[in-house]
Amino acid sequence: MLRYSRLQIVFGMFALACALVLVSARGAFAQEKQSSRPVARLITDNPSSARRVSETPEPISVPASGPTLEQANAIERRAFEQTNAERTKNGLPALRWDADLCRMARLQSERMAKQGYLSHSLDGLRLRDRARAVGIAHYTVLGENIAYNFGYDDPGGFAVERWMLSPGHRANILEVGFKAMAVGTFVATDGSVFLTQTFITR
């Protein structure tokens, strides 16, 4: 009887240990599954915020002209409209759409997606270099916001919402000196959305 009770105790302790391992495994699996939640990033001055996406950059073609607002995609139009809504809300005039800026912004978003980084400067090309590359030679002031998000139903509106919560990005959106703006996007094969918002006064 005594030996049977000890075996019973040992077996019970073993069963409890197995149950704890199973619970821990389930918790780890649940945490793994949560990683598929929507993700968003804004660029900061900290290089560690760059997100690696791919290993091999692909060539990027430069279109001859940029799209009008009517030709812009739904994400670009939504971000443009939301930006102007924020400006109007803050007593500022709406910005006009600039087709050249959209072309420039799309190239930057595509470059970020294909090279796997969120950065204003890729391949050693700074903002003014990229403006010159698309034929924008004369301007008074130039600015840019960039972002990445994944898994959101409204990526354009969400990007503007997040930009407005960041002092530097908000300052660009509410800058009195800017007269025109465009948003250029690139959607990667995994559904990640890269957004570049460029401002100008010519």
Side-chain angles (χ1 to χ4, degrees), residues 52-167:
R52 189 74 180 157
V53 178
S54 63
E55 291 299 324
T56 52
E58 298 173 29
I60 294 167
S61 58
V62 180
S65 62
T68 63
L69 182 57
E70 292 70 33
Q71 295 167 329
N73 66 45
I75 299 171
E76 292 164 346
R77 283 196 308 272
R78 173 74 169 148
F80 177 76
E81 290 161 3
Q82 286 301 106
T83 297
N84 275 333
E86 292 293 346
R87 286 178 65 87
T88 301
K89 195 191 305 182
N90 284 274
L92 297 168
L95 299 170
R96 61 178 176 76
W97 179 266
D98 188 299
D100 290 334
L101 288 185
C102 182
R103 179 164 59 115
M104 176 180 160
R106 280 183 175 182
L107 288 169
Q108 178 67 4
S109 291
E110 183 178 358
R111 189 176 283 113
M112 289 191 298
K114 290 183 174 178
Q115 294 191 22
Y117 288 101
L118 274 180
S119 174
H120 291 285
S121 178
L122 293 171
D123 301 327
L125 295 173
R126 292 169 296 177
L127 183 55
R128 64 179 180 226
D129 301 321
R130 291 188 277 113
R132 196 177 301 115
V134 297
I136 301 173
H138 305 289
Y139 55 87
T140 308
V141 63
L142 197 60
E144 186 174 76
N145 287 339
I146 58 180
Y148 151 88
N149 63 55
F150 173 81
Y152 290 92
D153 293 333
D154 180 11
F158 180 75
V160 174
E161 180 186 313
R162 292 295 295 267
W163 281 329
M164 287 299 291
L165 296 175
S166 164

